[in-house]
mmCIF file of all heavy atoms in Angstrom:
data_model
loop_
_atom_site.group_PDB
_atom_site.id
_atom_site.type_symbol
_atom_site.label_atom_id
_atom_site.label_comp_id
_atom_site.label_asym_id
_atom_site.label_seq_id
_atom_site.Cartn_x
_atom_site.Cartn_y
_atom_site.Cartn_z
ATOM 1 N N ALA V 76 8.392 -13.243 -4.941
ATOM 2 C CA ALA V 76 8.529 -11.808 -5.204
ATOM 3 C C ALA V 76 7.166 -11.280 -5.639
ATOM 4 O O ALA V 76 7.023 -10.023 -5.715
ATOM 5 C CB ALA V 76 9.605 -11.547 -6.208
ATOM 6 N N LEU V 77 6.271 -12.049 -5.982
ATOM 7 C CA LEU V 77 4.935 -11.598 -6.436
ATOM 8 C C LEU V 77 4.264 -10.865 -5.281
ATOM 9 O O LEU V 77 3.445 -10.064 -5.467
ATOM 10 C CB LEU V 77 3.982 -12.770 -6.801
ATOM 11 C CG LEU V 77 4.359 -13.531 -8.084
ATOM 12 C CD1 LEU V 77 3.525 -14.722 -8.267
ATOM 13 C CD2 LEU V 77 4.319 -12.551 -9.305
ATOM 14 N N TRP V 78 4.697 -11.091 -4.032
ATOM 15 C CA TRP V 78 4.159 -10.395 -2.962
ATOM 16 C C TRP V 78 4.481 -8.940 -2.993
ATOM 17 O O TRP V 78 3.711 -8.185 -2.312
ATOM 18 C CB TRP V 78 4.710 -11.056 -1.622
ATOM 19 C CG TRP V 78 4.003 -12.344 -1.247
ATOM 20 C CD1 TRP V 78 4.631 -13.630 -1.359
ATOM 21 C CD2 TRP V 78 2.696 -12.518 -0.948
ATOM 22 N NE1 TRP V 78 3.709 -14.567 -1.034
ATOM 23 C CE2 TRP V 78 2.482 -13.932 -0.743
ATOM 24 C CE3 TRP V 78 1.527 -11.751 -0.632
ATOM 25 C CZ2 TRP V 78 1.222 -14.554 -0.332
ATOM 26 C CZ3 TRP V 78 0.337 -12.303 -0.273
ATOM 27 C CH2 TRP V 78 0.232 -13.654 -0.094
ATOM 28 N N TYR V 79 5.473 -8.564 -3.646
ATOM 29 C CA TYR V 79 5.914 -7.124 -3.579
ATOM 30 C C TYR V 79 4.744 -6.322 -4.319
ATOM 31 O O TYR V 79 4.192 -5.334 -3.675
ATOM 32 C CB TYR V 79 7.203 -6.869 -4.330
ATOM 33 C CG TYR V 79 8.401 -7.054 -3.301
ATOM 34 C CD1 TYR V 79 8.957 -8.240 -3.195
ATOM 35 C CD2 TYR V 79 8.846 -5.931 -2.623
ATOM 36 C CE1 TYR V 79 10.000 -8.351 -2.265
ATOM 37 C CE2 TYR V 79 9.905 -6.118 -1.723
ATOM 38 C CZ TYR V 79 10.486 -7.294 -1.487
ATOM 39 O OH TYR V 79 11.446 -7.394 -0.583
ATOM 40 N N PRO V 80 4.382 -6.566 -5.623
ATOM 41 C CA PRO V 80 3.381 -5.770 -6.204
ATOM 42 C C PRO V 80 2.031 -5.856 -5.436
ATOM 43 O O PRO V 80 1.280 -4.941 -5.281
ATOM 44 C CB PRO V 80 3.200 -6.287 -7.622
ATOM 45 C CG PRO V 80 3.982 -7.601 -7.658
ATOM 46 C CD PRO V 80 5.016 -7.471 -6.545
ATOM 47 N N VAL V 81 1.741 -7.056 -5.023
ATOM 48 C CA VAL V 81 0.514 -7.307 -4.167
ATOM 49 C C VAL V 81 0.479 -6.485 -2.904
ATOM 50 O O VAL V 81 -0.402 -5.803 -2.545
ATOM 51 C CB VAL V 81 0.362 -8.782 -3.868
ATOM 52 C CG1 VAL V 81 -0.624 -9.042 -2.737
ATOM 53 C CG2 VAL V 81 -0.064 -9.565 -5.134
ATOM 54 N N GLY V 82 1.656 -6.459 -2.205
ATOM 55 C CA GLY V 82 1.813 -5.603 -0.999
ATOM 56 C C GLY V 82 1.612 -4.171 -1.274
ATOM 57 O O GLY V 82 0.947 -3.486 -0.596
ATOM 58 N N TYR V 83 2.219 -3.670 -2.370
ATOM 59 C CA TYR V 83 2.141 -2.312 -2.724
ATOM 60 C C TYR V 83 0.655 -1.884 -2.924
ATOM 61 O O TYR V 83 0.134 -0.866 -2.481
ATOM 62 C CB TYR V 83 2.955 -1.953 -3.956
ATOM 63 C CG TYR V 83 4.490 -2.052 -3.817
ATOM 64 C CD1 TYR V 83 5.291 -2.389 -4.880
ATOM 65 C CD2 TYR V 83 5.102 -1.806 -2.582
ATOM 66 C CE1 TYR V 83 6.610 -2.502 -4.705
ATOM 67 C CE2 TYR V 83 6.400 -1.844 -2.430
ATOM 68 C CZ TYR V 83 7.166 -2.267 -3.532
ATOM 69 O OH TYR V 83 8.557 -2.281 -3.386
ATOM 70 N N ALA V 84 -0.076 -2.818 -3.699
ATOM 71 C CA ALA V 84 -1.406 -2.431 -4.002
ATOM 72 C C ALA V 84 -2.312 -2.635 -2.809
ATOM 73 O O ALA V 84 -3.164 -1.799 -2.504
ATOM 74 C CB ALA V 84 -1.881 -3.363 -5.108
ATOM 75 N N ALA V 85 -1.960 -3.687 -1.947
ATOM 76 C CA ALA V 85 -2.778 -3.876 -0.765
ATOM 77 C C ALA V 85 -2.642 -2.682 0.202
ATOM 78 O O ALA V 85 -3.630 -2.398 0.877
ATOM 79 C CB ALA V 85 -2.368 -5.164 -0.128
ATOM 80 N N GLY V 86 -1.469 -2.138 0.299
ATOM 81 C CA GLY V 86 -1.180 -1.061 1.166
ATOM 82 C C GLY V 86 -2.140 0.116 0.836
ATOM 83 O O GLY V 86 -2.709 0.743 1.754
ATOM 84 N N TYR V 87 -2.468 0.248 -0.459
ATOM 85 C CA TYR V 87 -3.319 1.376 -0.877
ATOM 86 C C TYR V 87 -4.793 1.085 -0.323
ATOM 87 O O TYR V 87 -5.450 2.020 -0.075
ATOM 88 C CB TYR V 87 -3.355 1.424 -2.362
ATOM 89 C CG TYR V 87 -2.639 2.704 -2.664
ATOM 90 C CD1 TYR V 87 -1.241 2.783 -3.084
ATOM 91 C CD2 TYR V 87 -3.279 3.958 -2.510
ATOM 92 C CE1 TYR V 87 -0.676 3.896 -3.378
ATOM 93 C CE2 TYR V 87 -2.633 5.109 -2.783
ATOM 94 C CZ TYR V 87 -1.334 5.072 -3.124
ATOM 95 O OH TYR V 87 -0.696 6.295 -3.336
ATOM 96 N N LEU V 88 -5.167 -0.114 -0.354
ATOM 97 C CA LEU V 88 -6.448 -0.509 0.148
ATOM 98 C C LEU V 88 -6.623 -0.053 1.594
ATOM 99 O O LEU V 88 -7.624 0.559 1.999
ATOM 100 C CB LEU V 88 -6.767 -1.993 -0.050
ATOM 101 C CG LEU V 88 -8.300 -2.366 0.068
ATOM 102 C CD1 LEU V 88 -9.126 -1.654 -0.990
ATOM 103 C CD2 LEU V 88 -8.411 -3.842 0.023
ATOM 104 N N PHE V 89 -5.573 -0.312 2.375
ATOM 105 C CA PHE V 89 -5.625 0.023 3.820
ATOM 106 C C PHE V 89 -5.703 1.604 3.911
ATOM 107 O O PHE V 89 -6.378 2.138 4.769
ATOM 108 C CB PHE V 89 -4.444 -0.517 4.580
ATOM 109 C CG PHE V 89 -4.755 -1.839 5.138
ATOM 110 C CD1 PHE V 89 -4.364 -2.975 4.493
ATOM 111 C CD2 PHE V 89 -5.452 -2.020 6.273
ATOM 112 C CE1 PHE V 89 -4.770 -4.247 4.986
ATOM 113 C CE2 PHE V 89 -5.762 -3.208 6.811
ATOM 114 C CZ PHE V 89 -5.402 -4.342 6.131
ATOM 115 N N LEU V 90 -4.945 2.279 3.021
ATOM 116 C CA LEU V 90 -4.944 3.669 3.027
ATOM 117 C C LEU V 90 -6.352 4.167 2.825
ATOM 118 O O LEU V 90 -6.845 5.111 3.428
ATOM 119 C CB LEU V 90 -4.015 4.172 1.950
ATOM 120 C CG LEU V 90 -3.483 5.449 1.930
ATOM 121 C CD1 LEU V 90 -2.637 5.616 3.150
ATOM 122 C CD2 LEU V 90 -2.646 5.729 0.687
ATOM 123 N N LEU V 91 -7.019 3.563 1.825
ATOM 124 C CA LEU V 91 -8.408 3.942 1.476
ATOM 125 C C LEU V 91 -9.361 3.657 2.651
ATOM 126 O O LEU V 91 -10.225 4.442 2.996
ATOM 127 C CB LEU V 91 -8.871 3.119 0.221
ATOM 128 C CG LEU V 91 -10.311 3.270 -0.180
ATOM 129 C CD1 LEU V 91 -10.630 4.630 -0.593
ATOM 130 C CD2 LEU V 91 -10.663 2.244 -1.223
ATOM 131 N N LEU V 92 -9.180 2.488 3.229
ATOM 132 C CA LEU V 92 -10.161 2.112 4.336
ATOM 133 C C LEU V 92 -10.064 2.932 5.576
ATOM 134 O O LEU V 92 -11.097 3.287 6.195
ATOM 135 C CB LEU V 92 -9.876 0.635 4.675
ATOM 136 C CG LEU V 92 -10.150 -0.356 3.619
ATOM 137 C CD1 LEU V 92 -9.975 -1.831 4.134
ATOM 138 C CD2 LEU V 92 -11.607 -0.313 3.066
#
Side-chain angles (χ1 to χ4, degrees):
Chain V
L77 293 174
W78 285 108
Y79 275 89
V81 161
Y83 292 150
Y87 252 100
L88 192 63
F89 271 95
L90 202 62
L91 171 66
L92 295 181

